[in-house]
Amino acid sequence: MNTLSYDIAVIGGGPAGLAAAVKARELGMDRILLVERDYELGGILQQCIHDGFGLLRFKKQLSGCQYAQKFIDLVAEGGIDVLCDTMVLELTDDRRIYAVSAQEGLLEIRAQAVILAMGCRERTRSQVSIMGSRPAGVLTAGSVQRYINMEGYLPGKKAVILGSGDIGLIMARRMTLEGIEVEGVYEVMSSLGGLRRNKVQCLDDYGISLHLSTTVTKIHGNKRVEAVTVALVGSDGKPVRETERVIPCDLLVLSVGLIPENELSRKAGVQLHPVTRGPVVDDTMMTSIPGVFAAGNVVAVFDLVDYVSRSGEIAAQGAVDFIRRQSARGNMVDTVAGSNVGFVLPQRVNADCGGKEINLYLRVRKPMKDVRAEIVCNGKILKSTRYGVANPPEMIALRFVPDGPLDGPLTVDVR
Ligand SMILES: Cc1cc2nc3c(=O)[nH]c(=O)nc-3n(C[C@H](O)[C@H](O)[C@H](O)COP(=O)(O)OP(=O)(O)OC[C@H]3O[C@@H](n4cnc5c(N)ncnc54)[C@H](O)[C@@H]3O)c2cc1C
């Protein structure tokens, strides 16, 4: 087995891992390794050929691939070591990484700091109960995206989409442009699962109907999907049988949520959060294991790639400070998801952070209009920001600079 030694090893070459590696180089780290299981860098962005990426960072509407390429170029310019086609199999709590590749065989990588940037994966049919056999033609939205945008296949002729997450909305438009008839998008919840801008640009502009409080109850067909049954969902969350109708189609596209990819983290003993399902992190993105940091969708599903990249840069700064022993962690205070808040990231911040910028990310539990997001510490409001609307799919990012040490938990309320 080959053994490699680095200052910082980054697992995952998507936007989070790329930004982390580039930032660590900017901060003067010499020996940085980026490990990616795919044959090229870029992560999920390589299959996102639509625009809308990088509005905050570059003030431009880039495609996912263009956004990723900007960072891939910086990785090359910085001479950062990259191992593609290399799958990390295990991480230990003393920061040893075991990975395998066809070229190198089994590798042991030792690093002073590790940054987890493995992204997220889609929920599949096994996570949503739908009656019927297992015919071909039931695919996740991400698989359809990969088939059409990267492999050059049309996976069906007439599609029904279950779930109104962003990838499903984007694929409704993409399939329409490629000549697949999209019958409609069916959403079990009473509100949209994705961003409003995606509904307008991907459904409304193409005359594709959205059916809220409606779900797919049965898949018909043995070898290939022949039809699906849809039904309204009652206030008890159960399908109303009398409203069932059968829609002929040969493709059922699932857009029913994303799950942070944390098998490696779990096995290493990293503490995971029950709501985000990603590592519990502090304001330097350090996990519960000293020297192991995490960034991007592996921590929680972010909505904007700009936030993903930012989290990678914060993790890189944290990792560099950790290696240089500049991150005296001192007293930590928790962040608390208060009124109408589902979760707050990071879950801990350094109490002695006076004068230092803190970035908090949160999602609300239910849609609300005309609200204030308030950060409260020991009864004192540290920041208050007004929003016309607050929707669960749209992350709220709050930046603030405390003027002194924090003397209690930081509670975030949206009301
Ligand atoms: C299927 C899918 C489609 C999406 N489509 C869109 C879209 O159209 N528009 C949009 O705005 N957002 C989309 N997203 C969200 C998108 O994932 C994020 O905006 C962004 O890509 C997250 O960046 P990341 O670096 O955290 O993760 P990713 O981009 O997912 O990158 C993680 C990287 O880690 C690698 N990796 C994972 N495990 C290992 C391992 N054990 N060893 C080595 N490498 C590993 C993966 O191969 C991957 O390259 C999509 C997400 C998914 C899952």
Side-chain angles (χ1 to χ4, degrees), residues 204-215:
D204 300 351
D205 286 358
Y206 291 83
I208 300 167
S209 53
L210 170 67
H211 307 261
L212 296 175
S213 304
T214 313
T215 192

Side-chain angles (χ1 to χ4, degrees), residues 138-154:
V138 182
L139 294 173
T140 62
S143 308
V144 174
Q145 192 175 48
R146 184 159 186 116
Y147 273 134
I148 297 180
N149 293 351
M150 295 187 79
E151 315 288 342
Y153 293 114
L154 282 189

Side-chain angles (χ1 to χ4, degrees), residues 90-377:
E90 192 181 346
L91 166 72
T92 65
D93 58 6
D94 58 354
R95 301 188 296 275
R96 274 175 297 134
I97 292 169
Y98 293 95
V100 67
S101 86
Q103 293 79 29
E104 308 287 337
L106 191 59
L107 292 169
E108 181 181 316
I109 301 156
R110 294 182 188 167
Q112 295 191 63
V114 172
I115 299 178
L116 308 173
M118 293 90 72
C120 59
R121 62 168 178 263
E122 293 173 287
R123 294 175 83 218
T124 64
R125 187 176 168 185
S126 57
Q127 276 112 17
V128 285
S129 315
I130 309 175
M131 286 202 321
S133 55
R134 305 198 145 266
V138 182
L139 294 173
T140 62
S143 308
V144 174
Q145 192 175 48
R146 184 159 186 116
Y147 273 134
I148 297 180
N149 293 351
M150 295 187 79
E151 315 288 342
Y153 293 114
L154 282 189
K157 293 196 175 83
K158 182 174 177 182
V160 165
I161 302 179
L162 175 60
S164 60
D166 287 311
I167 313 169
L169 301 179
I170 286 159
M171 289 318 294
R173 173 178 65 184
R174 186 82 188 103
M175 286 190 286
T176 306
L177 290 172
E178 289 297 337
I180 298 174
E181 182 190 344
V182 179
E183 197 279 339
V185 177
Y186 294 83
E187 168 59 60
V188 72
M189 306 300 287
S190 56
S191 59
L192 184 71
L195 301 176
R196 278 167 300 158
R197 74 164 195 218
N198 281 336
K199 176 182 177 293
V200 174
Q201 293 171 5
C202 302
L203 300 189
D204 300 351
D205 286 358
Y206 291 83
I208 300 167
S209 53
L210 170 67
H211 307 261
L212 296 175
S213 304
T214 313
T215 192
V216 172
T217 55
K218 188 167 181 192
I219 299 169
H220 305 263
N222 283 322
K223 285 200 167 156
R224 175 87 208 183
V225 173
E226 290 167 8
V228 295
T229 300
V230 297
L232 285 170
V233 175
S235 52
D236 57 358
K238 293 190 178 139
V240 182
R241 294 287 161 208
E242 302 74 51
T243 66
E244 280 186 342
R245 64 190 169 92
V246 176
I247 304 170
C249 61
D250 62 354
L251 180 61
L252 175 62
V253 179
L254 301 177
S255 179
V256 289
L258 299 168
I259 310 171
E261 182 98 35
N262 274 302
E263 281 65 27
L264 290 176
S265 327
R266 192 174 294 113
K267 210 166 162 198
V270 169
Q271 184 191 353
L272 299 181
H273 191 272
V275 177
T276 60
R277 302 177 74 172
V280 169
V281 288
D282 66 19
D283 52 319
T284 68
M285 302 305 282
M286 189 158 81
T287 69
S288 58
I289 299 184
V292 176
F293 296 77
N297 278 3
V298 82
V299 180
V301 178
F302 286 82
D303 55 352
L304 295 182
V305 74
D306 308 83
Y307 297 157
V308 166
S309 303
R310 179 82 191 109
S311 73
E313 290 168 347
I314 294 171
Q317 179 74 63
V320 171
D321 290 349
F322 176 84
I323 291 170
R324 293 177 179 159
R325 307 277 183 262
Q326 286 171 359
S327 54
R329 288 279 66 203
N331 288 337
M332 303 298 284
V333 294
D334 289 341
T335 59
V336 180
S339 180
N340 192 28
V341 175
F343 69 81
V344 182
L345 276 182
Q347 289 90 357
R348 290 186 199 120
V349 298
N350 193 336
D352 307 313
C353 57
K356 192 182 146 221
E357 182 179 275
I358 302 281
N359 291 267
L360 297 183
Y361 297 96
L362 56 121
R363 280 187 195 276
V364 292
R365 286 180 198 277
K366 56 178 196 303
M368 287 172 88
K369 284 193 176 153
D370 205 9
V371 292
R372 282 201 164 272
E374 288 181 343
I375 305 174
V376 184
C377 182

